[in-house]
Amino acid sequence: MTDIRNILQDADPLRHEPPPSEGERDRLRHAAVAAAADATASAASAWFRAPTALMAAIALIIVVFVAFGSQSWPPGGATVQAAVRFEVRLAEDQAASGLHEARVAGSGRTIYLHEEVVVTNADIERSAVVPGSGPARFDIGVRFTAEGARKMREATANHAGRPLAILIDGDVVMAPTLRDPISADALITGDYSRAEAERIVNGISIR
Amino acid sequence: MTTTLPIAVPGDQADRLSVLFDTHYDRLYRLARRLAPTADDALDLVQEAFLKAARSPRAVPVGLPGEEAWLVRVLINIRRDQWRKAAVRRRHDQTIGHPSGVDSGQEAALIARATIWRALDLLRPRRRAILVMHELEGLTIPAIASLLGISAVTVRWHLSMGRRDLARALKLPVGESR
């Protein structure tokens, strides 16, 4: 009887060849990590390549301010308040002391919010409308500031497998289960219309 | 507004790729070397698999078993695409046709091993991978089925056909090995 296993083991190149050198390994590792960094950078630049509609919205805001002059500005030179209030909070699936019950918009799901706010508008460096899951559906890309990224990373480091609540104007618009710690970027996949996504992005950006 | 999709978490993809590479490189190279004609081809296979992971980070499942299965399947698919092109085999033929710098005894052994390895090239990469994982890596049939996302019956069938094809290619008496 022919034993294929013995034949294969005898011919196995791993038994007769030296393993790849550390240099080869490092070369491959470097290429793969560089490709990952490039992919991240490309995705980010695609997010933050200002779309025409966003530029138009910014231009409109400038026009409105010019048209109404100083009457448009808050008295005393106070900071302009964000038109859209953005918050991220940790949440739980089970009720517990100190948590606030909230319903996730559009799903009927109930979650329980932590009191502390992880990040707000002030922690967002930029946001942009991003093509979504369908031809007329849009998501919102958010890039946190360095301080915001640090807060997110620290807050989410030990929260894997539990929900994270994204609140817009006080409503929980989504509460995804956290897979990995979040740091610099997040994508709010809210399945928005373009108008709604632009309203949120423009509102988040003003602070 | 509906919120049907989970949040995507880009995080630091370069960091994740580093960990992915360090965790799976050795295992992936061992499989690649047993699927490819030469060590250089094996390194190319491994590099392609990790580049695919780098370009599609969200396609890579989170967690060791999922990552490994994804990488192994990608690697086999890349090898399958290469296998379909005759260029790889031609290069291999040239390589084994010119052993140099060895004495006659070493040369005979080298040619014998190369002949067996060339015969393996006749097997479709997935069948070859199954044979290699079972006979050389010692994986059980259920473990291979889980890794490749196919049924145990299919694995068993590929094993049987692989052994038969290899025995025929080597003009050996056909017999079953365990």
Side-chain angles (χ1 to χ4, degrees), chain A residues 101-138:
Chain A
E101 182 177 324
R103 191 158 290 235
V104 182
S107 73
R109 178 182 166 210
T110 299
I111 59 169
Y112 301 88
L113 299 174
H114 285 248
E115 180 72 36
E116 303 78 22
V117 176
V118 179
V119 292
T120 67
N121 300 64
D123 298 299
I124 293 176
E125 182 179 299
R126 295 196 70 178
S127 59
V129 176
V130 179
S133 56
R137 311 313 298 174
F138 297 87

Side-chain angles (χ1 to χ4, degrees), chain B residues 110-124:
Chain B
L110 184 63
I111 289 173
R113 288 200 298 269
T115 302
I116 293 166
W117 222 243
R118 184 167 49 188
L120 270 176
D121 270 354
L122 298 175
L123 305 186
R124 290 183 172 277

Side-chain angles (χ1 to χ4, degrees), chain A residues 42 65 70 99 104 121-122 128 138 145 174 176 178 186 188 196 204:
Chain A
S42 301
F65 281 152
S70 61
L99 302 182
V104 182
N121 300 64
F138 297 87
T145 61
M174 61 188 299
L178 202 60
I188 303 171
E196 179 67 358
I204 285 174

Side-chain angles (χ1 to χ4, degrees), chain A residues 51-67 202:
Chain A
T52 308
L54 180 60
M55 295 305 292
I58 293 169
L60 180 63
I61 292 168
I62 294 170
V63 167
V64 168
F65 281 152
V66 169
N202 295 338

Side-chain angles (χ1 to χ4, degrees), chain A residues 13 17-20 24, chain B residues 29 32-33 36-46 95:
Chain A
E17 294 174 356
E24 285 289 358
Chain B
Y29 177 78
R33 183 61 194 98
T38 70
D40 285 344
D41 290 327
L43 285 170
D44 287 347
L45 263 181
V46 172
T95 303

